[in-house]
Amino acid sequence: MDFSSSMAIKPSSSSCSSLFAISRAQNSSPKPLLFNFHGIPRNHQSSFFKSLKCIQSPPPGSLPSNPSSFSCSAVTLSPTQTSYLPPRKLSTLVAEFQSLLEPLDRVKRLLHYASLLPPLPASSRTDSNRVMGCTARVWLDAQMDSEGNIRFWADSDSEITKGFCACLVSVLDGAGPEEVLQLKTEDLAALNVGLPGGERSRVNTWHNVLVSMQKRTRALVAQKEGKTPFEPFPSLVITTEGIQPKGTYAEAQARYLSPDKLKVKELVHVLKEKQIGVVAHFYMDPEVQGILTEAQKEWPHIHISDSLVMADSAVKMVKSGCKFITVLGVDFMSENVRAILDKAGFGEVGVYRMSNERIGCSLADAAATPDYMDYLESASNSLPSLHVVYINTSLETKAYSHELVPTITCTSSNVVPTILQAFAQVPDLNIWYGPDSYMGANIKELFQQMTLMSDEEIAEIHPKHNRDSIKSLLPRLHYYENGTCIVHHLFGHEVVERINEMYCDAFLTAHFEVPGEMFSLAMEAKRRGMGVVGSTQNILDFIKQRVQEALDRNVDDHLQFVLGTESGMVTSIVAAVRSLLDSSNSTSSTKINVEIVFPVSSDSMTKTSTRASPALKSVKAGDDIILPVVPGVASGEGCSIHGGCASCPYMKMNSLGSLLNVCHHLPDERNNLKAYETERFKLQTPQGKSIADVGCQPILHMRHFQAKKELSEELVYQVLGSHGNGK
């Protein structure tokens, strides 16, 4: 939500109109107002002056040092005289557009200013000068003049967008770097110049052009101060012609995006022969995901997703004839699959993990501690209470929790609607979220931001809430403060600083589990249509949507996405993007490049023997050369305190070799796979009930919510006081 407290300030008079100055008396018959452009190169002046109704002579000595550049300014002052003007210029600009009461008049005024902005030369209309996130194509160039002030030039192939650019250039051209960087996107909220129905995309244009101006300003300041620029994060560039990795880490990821056909054939053969279904999480190793993605084309019973639908997919596979289910994930995922199959009446179907050792999860482990049980003991003493537990926890945790406090599971994609519905459905409710501390803090911050929205905007998120109800629920929302996922834990300050410096104008994606700084950065991007915060599926859907929008515009484009979650996601992203690009390639000559950026550092990788491949420069499909790096630091943690996470070490215990080994030994007549099989819980809860039965209830409550969009009557009954009397 954007806000502005800008106040109109009456400009001083000059021989030509000051910045967009207009009185209300002019509304019925607005007169054309004028930019006073100065600093226009002599070789551009004659053609440019023809487009102006009135112009002052450029002040002596104001030509920029670059003879091929040009600039515009709202008033005829030297840059050193404008140090106090950007806020005043913006306030005057706001006052002018607010004085035009009809939307059509505001658009006409915007188009008028668009006509005064000179076009950029072809040499400046380059991909490197493109502004990302705008519906139309926008180009922006900048340089620092001899006095240390920033000069801007902009253009667009849309007249409306060109008018936006003209306004922003008029406010910031010639300003000092600190003035450019101090302007907030919220300050532009009052510039309501759009036609009804298109407000959001036009607000995004204001914001994205401003963010690009600020990115270029930071780069110019760093260059002047002689600072070494940040090294770019590794990335993969996806085109219709293939994949180009940038950086050794990206090469390691790209290695398996074109999988070994013989291994694909072997896997498909054994899956078909033995009727085996495969459910896998997005965070699988790139080699495994590459093989599975290709095998899906020949065997439909392979599903790669987030944890929410893995068990559902297993049930569908069994109903279609699969006799065994292999689970590629951490142990709580295979536990959930086993329990849900049993609930569905498929207890005879074997469920197999990919390791004979425990496949843990730092987040699930945090909930299996005495400290977490103490947290829930506090909850049980604050009636009415509901425990909202992240699905990434063990069945045992869910069972023990549900006997202490009525419990419903959630995912990163449904946690917010679950909490809002619970507060709306149960008066005076206390909600206790856990175990992910970052997600809990981010949820609370999200609700804090909602208190600044209008009732209408809040109603769009949940129809039974308004500002007063959101304010009242905040003191009754609690979250556990000692649980984190090692994959998302280190998207912290250093990564955020680097993203803010180099990728602030890119599309930002972030899992709901990231630390607060990364969350805030992605939320700001989300508000201007440039980001998403949510589950792995939300991230994938966002990228697909933005790529499809670029294809629909039918113009060449370069889209850059920062991947704020586990790098294993890239396999599914590449497959989805390739599918979209290939489907349009036959009907369009448009070139769309999609770049996936991995916010990791060199410390997130392990070097292998350079003697194995001393001259490796790039990755080719089908090439068996050993890479000089592999994802994951030498200790096996897969993360670096110096910049983000490479991969989840637990997920990487699910290897292709293990999958093939399990499949080849099925059916397990000789009991060779005993350590791999997901067993049913034989233990009981403190109340003497089956862990599997009680642990499934929070999951079933979530399934009811997913289907009906409200808490079940049974859960509400438990919350309101009868829970302790048994179920």
Side-chain angles (χ1 to χ4, degrees):
M1 184 58 186
D2 302 315
F3 299 91
S4 174
S5 58
S6 300
M7 298 181 63
I9 300 176
K10 185 176 180 181
S12 57
S13 60
S14 76
S15 57
C16 248
S17 302
S18 297
L19 172 67
F20 305 146
I22 186 169
S23 68
R24 293 187 180 273
Q26 292 174 296
N27 288 344
S28 59
S29 180
K31 298 179 181 179
L33 300 177
L34 305 173
F35 278 101
N36 294 322
F37 292 89
H38 67 77
I40 301 171
R42 299 184 190 278
N43 59 337
H44 286 282
Q45 285 182 5
S46 60
S47 60
F48 170 64
F49 288 161
K50 292 178 181 178
S51 68
L52 299 182
K53 307 292 184 182
C54 164
I55 189 72
Q56 288 182 317
S57 299
S62 66
L63 295 179
S65 58
N66 183 351
S68 65
S69 60
F70 41 79
S71 175
C72 62
S73 179
V75 289
T76 311
L77 297 172
S78 68
T80 55
Q81 293 174 286
T82 66
S83 60
Y84 66 96
L85 283 181
R88 177 175 178 175
K89 291 178 181 179
L90 181 60
S91 296
T92 307
L93 183 63
V94 168
E96 177 191 355
F97 278 103
Q98 289 182 342
S99 73
L100 298 170
L101 303 181
E102 295 298 326
L104 187 57
D105 289 336
R106 294 195 292 269
V107 172
K108 287 180 179 178
R109 185 59 50 84
L110 198 67
L111 291 173
H112 171 68
Y113 291 124
S115 70
L116 302 183
L117 189 66
L120 277 175
S123 60
S124 293
R125 294 167 71 98
T126 62
D127 287 344
S128 61
N129 284 337
R130 283 284 299 276
V131 176
M132 284 187 277
C134 299
T135 302
R137 287 189 293 177
V138 182
W139 296 269
L140 176 72
D141 204 354
Q143 72 176 51
M144 182 179 288
D145 64 21
S146 59
E147 298 183 10
N149 296 306
I150 309 299
R151 314 309 304 272
F152 292 108
W153 305 273
D155 203 354
S156 175
D157 57 6
S158 159
E159 290 302 305
I160 288 285
T161 303
K162 191 173 181 179
F164 291 152
C165 293
C167 292
L168 284 171
V169 168
S170 72
V171 170
L172 292 176
D173 180 56
E178 67 285 351
E179 294 168 329
V180 176
L181 298 177
Q182 284 172 0
L183 189 64
K184 300 287 190 290
T185 55
E186 292 84 356
D187 298 333
L188 306 177
L191 289 171
N192 177 20
V193 299
L195 289 170
E199 290 84 355
R200 172 49 53 192
S201 64
R202 293 184 173 99
V203 168
N204 292 346
T205 298
W206 286 117
H207 292 182
N208 295 333
V209 174
L210 173 60
V211 167
S212 292
M213 286 176 151
Q214 293 173 333
K215 176 183 177 179
R216 285 159 174 76
T217 298
R218 291 189 193 96
L220 290 169
V221 171
Q223 181 180 1
K224 179 184 178 182
E225 295 176 351
K227 292 182 179 178
T228 303
F230 279 114
E231 182 181 349
F233 286 129
S235 65
L236 288 176
V237 180
I238 311 163
T239 70
T240 54
E241 299 174 354
I243 300 171
Q244 177 191 356
K246 295 182 177 180
T248 50
Y249 180 79
E251 291 173 1
Q253 294 294 314
R255 173 68 177 83
Y256 297 110
L257 292 175
S258 296
D260 186 316
K261 294 181 179 180
L262 291 177
K263 291 181 179 179
V264 173
K265 184 178 180 179
E266 178 186 0
L267 179 62
V268 170
H269 174 76
V270 70
L271 294 178
K272 286 183 176 181
E273 179 187 15
K274 301 187 178 184
Q275 296 292 293
I276 302 170
V278 180
V279 291
H281 194 271
F282 279 131
Y283 290 173
M284 286 301 97
D285 184 272
E287 178 188 20
V288 179
Q289 285 208 53
I291 296 288
L292 291 177
T293 301
E294 191 67 21
Q296 279 178 319
K297 300 174 183 178
E298 301 181 53
W299 180 243
H301 305 305
I302 298 173
H303 188 81
I304 305 171
S305 68
D306 58 17
S307 56
L308 172 62
V309 295
M310 290 174 69
D312 290 338
S313 299
V315 172
K316 292 177 182 177
M317 291 173 186
V318 173
K319 288 180 177 179
S320 298
C322 288
K323 298 177 181 179
F324 308 97
I325 298 294
T326 53
V327 180
L328 281 73
V330 295
D331 282 348
F332 73 77
M333 296 176 183
S334 57
E335 290 173 4
N336 288 345
V337 170
R338 173 74 278 165
I340 294 301
L341 283 175
D342 288 346
K343 283 287 184 182
F346 299 115
E348 77 283 359
V349 175
V351 177
Y352 292 88
R353 305 156 57 248
M354 293 299 107
S355 176
N356 57 4
E357 299 178 3
R358 177 178 177 270
I359 308 177
C361 168
S362 60
L363 192 58
D365 291 346
T369 61
D371 187 59
Y372 195 75
M373 291 301 109
D374 290 343
Y375 168 71
L376 293 182
E377 285 284 359
S378 300
S380 67
N381 295 323
S382 302
L383 299 178
S385 281
L386 174 66
H387 176 217
V388 179
V389 65
Y390 197 23
I391 196 170
N392 292 6
T393 49
S394 71
L395 206 62
E396 197 171 6
T397 292
K398 295 179 180 73
Y400 290 162
S401 298
H402 195 46
E403 286 202 339
L404 277 173
V405 185
T407 298
I408 182 172
T409 57
C410 71
T411 70
S412 49
S413 58
N414 68 20
V415 60
V416 170
T418 298
I419 290 175
L420 288 176
Q421 178 59 31
F423 274 125
Q425 203 168 336
V426 182
D428 303 319
L429 179 67
N430 289 279
I431 284 184
W432 305 77
Y433 170 80
D436 192 298
S437 304
Y438 288 136
M439 189 184 293
N442 292 340
I443 292 167
K444 196 144 192 174
E445 172 62 23
L446 178 63
F447 290 165
Q448 290 279 9
Q449 293 181 19
M450 287 177 65
T451 63
L452 303 177
M453 296 180 178
S454 67
D455 287 345
E456 292 75 15
E457 290 170 323
I458 294 172
E460 291 180 5
I461 299 173
H462 195 286
K464 294 184 179 180
H465 281 285
N466 53 39
R467 290 179 69 176
D468 289 338
S469 69
I470 297 297
K471 289 178 181 178
S472 69
L473 67 81
L474 280 169
R476 293 179 282 117
L477 175 61
H478 315 273
Y479 66 91
Y480 184 62
E481 298 185 4
N482 295 310
T484 58
C485 166
I486 62 172
V487 173
H488 299 106
H489 172 54
L490 293 173
F491 285 100
H493 174 71
E494 295 186 31
V495 167
V496 167
E497 182 181 9
R498 197 160 157 192
I499 291 173
N500 206 33
E501 189 79 16
M502 297 187 65
Y503 300 97
C504 58
D505 58 345
F507 293 100
L508 301 183
T509 72
H511 198 277
F512 226 139
E513 298 176 35
V514 298
E517 286 183 288
M518 183 70 175
F519 174 79
S520 297
L521 198 64
M523 282 297 294
E524 191 280 329
K526 184 177 185 294
R527 283 192 290 272
R528 51 189 174 88
M530 292 292 290
V532 62
V533 177
S535 67
T536 47
Q537 187 63 53
N538 295 147
I539 290 172
L540 180 59
D541 290 343
F542 174 80
I543 293 173
K544 289 164 59 179
Q545 179 185 357
R546 291 297 181 266
V547 173
Q548 186 60 59
E549 289 172 354
L551 291 170
D552 292 342
R553 288 195 292 270
N554 201 32
V555 294
D556 293 352
D557 210 344
H558 181 94
L559 309 181
Q560 190 178 59
F561 297 90
V562 176
L563 186 61
T565 189
E566 215 270 1
S567 59
M569 270 291 293
V570 75
T571 309
S572 295
I573 293 171
V574 169
V577 171
R578 271 178 154 175
S579 177
L580 290 172
L581 296 182
D582 290 345
S583 65
S584 68
N585 193 35
S586 58
T587 59
S588 173
S589 60
T590 302
K591 293 183 178 180
I592 304 293
N593 297 337
V594 180
E595 183 176 8
I596 308 299
V597 178
F598 303 98
V600 299
S601 74
S602 58
D603 296 313
S604 296
M605 298 168 285
T606 300
K607 294 183 179 180
T608 62
S609 172
T610 55
R611 291 176 294 177
S613 178
L616 180 60
K617 302 260 185 204
S618 61
V619 176
K620 299 179 181 179
D623 193 348
D624 289 330
I625 297 176
I626 299 174
L627 292 173
V629 297
V630 294
V633 295
S635 64
E637 286 295 301
C639 298
S640 162
I641 59 173
H642 302 293
C645 291
S647 58
C648 172
Y650 302 114
M651 287 290 188
K652 299 310 178 277
M653 294 173 70
N654 296 267
S655 68
L656 179 61
S658 293
L659 176 59
L660 289 171
N661 175 59
V662 169
C663 290
H664 282 305
H665 280 87
L666 289 174
D668 188 25
E669 297 173 349
R670 297 184 179 181
N671 212 29
N672 293 323
L673 299 178
K674 187 66 176 176
Y676 291 82
E677 187 171 7
T678 303
E679 296 184 350
R680 295 172 179 84
F681 279 97
K682 298 177 182 178
L683 299 176
Q684 294 183 331
T685 68
Q687 294 185 11
K689 299 181 179 180
S690 163
I691 283 179
D693 289 342
V694 180
C696 273
Q697 289 191 29
I699 300 174
L700 296 176
H701 288 321
M702 179 186 70
R703 293 181 186 280
H704 182 279
F705 173 76
Q706 289 287 95
K708 304 294 186 181
K709 306 306 178 188
E710 62 180 18
L711 304 188
S712 67
E713 291 183 5
E714 178 187 8
L715 180 58
V716 172
Y717 183 71
Q718 293 168 354
V719 168
L720 290 177
S722 63
H723 181 78
N725 298 323
K727 300 185 283 291

